[in-house]
Short mmCIF file of all heavy atoms in Angstrom, two decimals:
data_model
loop_
_atom_site.label_atom_id
_atom_site.label_comp_id
_atom_site.label_asym_id
_atom_site.label_seq_id
_atom_site.Cartn_x
_atom_site.Cartn_y
_atom_site.Cartn_z
N MET A 1 -24.77 -194.64 -79.06
CA MET A 1 -23.52 -194.09 -79.54
C MET A 1 -23.75 -193.30 -80.80
O MET A 1 -23.19 -192.21 -80.99
CB MET A 1 -22.55 -195.27 -79.81
CG MET A 1 -21.34 -194.88 -80.54
SD MET A 1 -20.00 -194.58 -79.45
CE MET A 1 -18.69 -194.34 -80.57
N ALA A 2 -24.54 -193.83 -81.73
CA ALA A 2 -24.80 -193.16 -82.98
C ALA A 2 -25.55 -191.83 -82.78
O ALA A 2 -25.30 -190.83 -83.41
CB ALA A 2 -25.55 -194.06 -83.96
N ALA A 3 -26.50 -191.83 -81.81
CA ALA A 3 -27.24 -190.62 -81.52
C ALA A 3 -26.35 -189.55 -80.96
O ALA A 3 -26.45 -188.38 -81.25
CB ALA A 3 -28.39 -190.92 -80.59
N MET A 4 -25.39 -189.96 -80.08
CA MET A 4 -24.44 -188.99 -79.51
C MET A 4 -23.54 -188.41 -80.56
O MET A 4 -23.24 -187.19 -80.56
CB MET A 4 -23.57 -189.68 -78.43
CG MET A 4 -24.33 -189.99 -77.17
SD MET A 4 -23.37 -190.66 -75.80
CE MET A 4 -21.85 -191.20 -76.48
N VAL A 5 -23.09 -189.25 -81.50
CA VAL A 5 -22.27 -188.73 -82.63
C VAL A 5 -23.03 -187.75 -83.47
O VAL A 5 -22.50 -186.72 -83.89
CB VAL A 5 -21.74 -189.94 -83.44
CG1 VAL A 5 -21.04 -189.44 -84.73
CG2 VAL A 5 -20.80 -190.76 -82.61
N ASN A 6 -24.29 -188.04 -83.71
CA ASN A 6 -25.13 -187.16 -84.50
C ASN A 6 -25.26 -185.77 -83.84
O ASN A 6 -25.05 -184.74 -84.50
CB ASN A 6 -26.50 -187.79 -84.67
CG ASN A 6 -27.35 -187.11 -85.70
OD1 ASN A 6 -27.03 -186.06 -86.23
ND2 ASN A 6 -28.50 -187.71 -86.03
N VAL A 7 -25.58 -185.74 -82.57
CA VAL A 7 -25.74 -184.50 -81.90
C VAL A 7 -24.39 -183.78 -81.71
O VAL A 7 -24.32 -182.55 -81.83
CB VAL A 7 -26.41 -184.70 -80.51
CG1 VAL A 7 -26.44 -183.43 -79.66
CG2 VAL A 7 -27.83 -185.21 -80.69
N LEU A 8 -23.35 -184.52 -81.49
CA LEU A 8 -22.01 -183.91 -81.39
C LEU A 8 -21.65 -183.22 -82.68
O LEU A 8 -21.10 -182.10 -82.66
CB LEU A 8 -20.99 -184.98 -81.03
CG LEU A 8 -19.59 -184.47 -80.69
CD1 LEU A 8 -19.61 -183.58 -79.47
CD2 LEU A 8 -18.63 -185.60 -80.52
N GLY A 9 -21.95 -183.80 -83.80
CA GLY A 9 -21.68 -183.17 -85.09
C GLY A 9 -22.45 -181.88 -85.22
O GLY A 9 -21.95 -180.85 -85.75
N GLN A 10 -23.71 -181.86 -84.77
CA GLN A 10 -24.53 -180.65 -84.86
C GLN A 10 -24.00 -179.55 -83.94
O GLN A 10 -23.98 -178.36 -84.27
CB GLN A 10 -26.00 -180.94 -84.57
CG GLN A 10 -26.68 -181.74 -85.65
CD GLN A 10 -28.13 -181.96 -85.36
OE1 GLN A 10 -28.54 -182.04 -84.20
NE2 GLN A 10 -28.94 -182.09 -86.42
N ILE A 11 -23.59 -179.97 -82.70
CA ILE A 11 -23.07 -179.00 -81.76
C ILE A 11 -21.79 -178.33 -82.28
O ILE A 11 -21.61 -177.11 -82.25
CB ILE A 11 -22.84 -179.63 -80.38
CG1 ILE A 11 -24.16 -179.97 -79.70
CG2 ILE A 11 -22.03 -178.72 -79.49
CD1 ILE A 11 -24.07 -180.81 -78.47
N ILE A 12 -20.87 -179.16 -82.86
CA ILE A 12 -19.64 -178.64 -83.38
C ILE A 12 -19.92 -177.67 -84.52
O ILE A 12 -19.28 -176.61 -84.64
CB ILE A 12 -18.70 -179.76 -83.79
CG1 ILE A 12 -18.19 -180.50 -82.55
CG2 ILE A 12 -17.53 -179.27 -84.63
CD1 ILE A 12 -17.44 -181.76 -82.85
N THR A 13 -20.85 -178.03 -85.40
CA THR A 13 -21.21 -177.13 -86.49
C THR A 13 -21.79 -175.83 -86.00
O THR A 13 -21.48 -174.77 -86.54
CB THR A 13 -22.19 -177.86 -87.42
OG1 THR A 13 -21.58 -179.10 -87.85
CG2 THR A 13 -22.49 -177.01 -88.66
N ALA A 14 -22.64 -175.90 -85.03
CA ALA A 14 -23.27 -174.68 -84.46
C ALA A 14 -22.21 -173.79 -83.85
O ALA A 14 -22.23 -172.56 -84.02
CB ALA A 14 -24.30 -175.03 -83.41
N VAL A 15 -21.23 -174.33 -83.19
CA VAL A 15 -20.15 -173.55 -82.58
C VAL A 15 -19.28 -172.95 -83.68
O VAL A 15 -18.89 -171.77 -83.60
CB VAL A 15 -19.34 -174.43 -81.60
CG1 VAL A 15 -18.08 -173.71 -81.18
CG2 VAL A 15 -20.16 -174.80 -80.39
N LEU A 16 -18.96 -173.70 -84.70
CA LEU A 16 -18.12 -173.18 -85.77
C LEU A 16 -18.82 -172.06 -86.55
O LEU A 16 -18.18 -171.12 -87.02
CB LEU A 16 -17.73 -174.29 -86.78
CG LEU A 16 -16.71 -175.30 -86.23
CD1 LEU A 16 -16.53 -176.42 -87.25
CD2 LEU A 16 -15.43 -174.63 -85.92
N PHE A 17 -20.13 -172.15 -86.69
CA PHE A 17 -20.89 -171.11 -87.38
C PHE A 17 -21.34 -169.99 -86.48
O PHE A 17 -22.10 -169.13 -86.86
CB PHE A 17 -22.08 -171.71 -88.11
CG PHE A 17 -21.76 -172.55 -89.31
CD1 PHE A 17 -22.60 -173.60 -89.67
CD2 PHE A 17 -20.61 -172.34 -90.02
CE1 PHE A 17 -22.31 -174.33 -90.73
CE2 PHE A 17 -20.33 -173.09 -91.13
CZ PHE A 17 -21.20 -174.12 -91.49
N THR A 18 -20.87 -169.97 -85.23
CA THR A 18 -21.23 -169.02 -84.20
C THR A 18 -22.75 -168.82 -84.07
O THR A 18 -23.25 -167.70 -84.01
CB THR A 18 -20.54 -167.65 -84.41
OG1 THR A 18 -20.99 -167.11 -85.63
CG2 THR A 18 -19.06 -167.78 -84.36
N GLY A 19 -23.44 -169.93 -84.04
CA GLY A 19 -24.88 -169.90 -83.83
C GLY A 19 -25.18 -169.93 -82.34
O GLY A 19 -24.40 -170.46 -81.55
N ASN A 20 -26.31 -169.35 -82.00
CA ASN A 20 -26.73 -169.36 -80.58
C ASN A 20 -27.55 -170.63 -80.39
O ASN A 20 -28.67 -170.77 -80.90
CB ASN A 20 -27.59 -168.15 -80.30
CG ASN A 20 -26.77 -166.89 -80.33
OD1 ASN A 20 -25.57 -166.94 -80.10
ND2 ASN A 20 -27.44 -165.77 -80.65
N VAL A 21 -27.02 -171.56 -79.60
CA VAL A 21 -27.72 -172.83 -79.34
C VAL A 21 -28.76 -172.57 -78.24
O VAL A 21 -28.40 -172.24 -77.13
CB VAL A 21 -26.69 -173.89 -78.91
CG1 VAL A 21 -27.42 -175.19 -78.62
CG2 VAL A 21 -25.64 -174.12 -80.00
N GLU A 22 -30.01 -172.81 -78.61
CA GLU A 22 -31.08 -172.65 -77.64
C GLU A 22 -31.38 -173.98 -76.96
O GLU A 22 -31.46 -174.04 -75.71
CB GLU A 22 -32.37 -172.13 -78.34
CG GLU A 22 -32.17 -170.82 -79.05
CD GLU A 22 -31.88 -169.66 -78.11
OE1 GLU A 22 -32.40 -169.72 -76.99
OE2 GLU A 22 -31.24 -168.71 -78.55
N LYS A 23 -31.49 -175.08 -77.73
CA LYS A 23 -31.77 -176.37 -77.12
C LYS A 23 -31.49 -177.47 -78.10
O LYS A 23 -31.49 -177.30 -79.31
CB LYS A 23 -33.24 -176.46 -76.66
CG LYS A 23 -34.23 -176.47 -77.79
CD LYS A 23 -35.69 -176.59 -77.30
CE LYS A 23 -36.61 -176.46 -78.46
NZ LYS A 23 -38.02 -176.60 -78.06
N PHE A 24 -31.17 -178.65 -77.57
CA PHE A 24 -31.04 -179.92 -78.25
C PHE A 24 -31.88 -180.95 -77.57
O PHE A 24 -31.72 -181.15 -76.37
CB PHE A 24 -29.56 -180.37 -78.28
CG PHE A 24 -28.71 -179.74 -79.32
CD1 PHE A 24 -27.88 -178.72 -79.00
CD2 PHE A 24 -28.78 -180.16 -80.66
CE1 PHE A 24 -27.04 -178.15 -79.97
CE2 PHE A 24 -28.00 -179.58 -81.63
CZ PHE A 24 -27.13 -178.56 -81.30
N ILE A 25 -32.75 -181.56 -78.30
CA ILE A 25 -33.56 -182.67 -77.77
C ILE A 25 -33.26 -183.89 -78.62
O ILE A 25 -33.43 -183.86 -79.83
CB ILE A 25 -35.08 -182.32 -77.78
CG1 ILE A 25 -35.35 -181.10 -76.97
CG2 ILE A 25 -35.87 -183.52 -77.30
CD1 ILE A 25 -36.75 -180.56 -77.12
N THR A 26 -32.82 -184.97 -78.00
CA THR A 26 -32.43 -186.17 -78.73
C THR A 26 -33.21 -187.36 -78.21
O THR A 26 -33.24 -187.62 -77.03
CB THR A 26 -30.93 -186.43 -78.59
OG1 THR A 26 -30.23 -185.26 -79.08
CG2 THR A 26 -30.50 -187.59 -79.42
#
């Protein structure tokens, strides 16, 4: 659960900053 919350926070930040997400490895 904590790892999902961590990555979810990063994904939301990347979307808000209009970054191009290449990959997430958790």
Side-chain angles (χ1 to χ4, degrees):
M1 169 96 174
M4 289 185 344
V5 170
N6 192 352
V7 173
L8 187 63
Q10 288 183 333
I11 290 172
I12 291 171
T13 304
V15 169
L16 288 176
F17 289 152
T18 62
N20 294 334
V21 178
E22 302 294 330
K23 67 179 175 179
F24 277 102
I25 300 172
T26 302

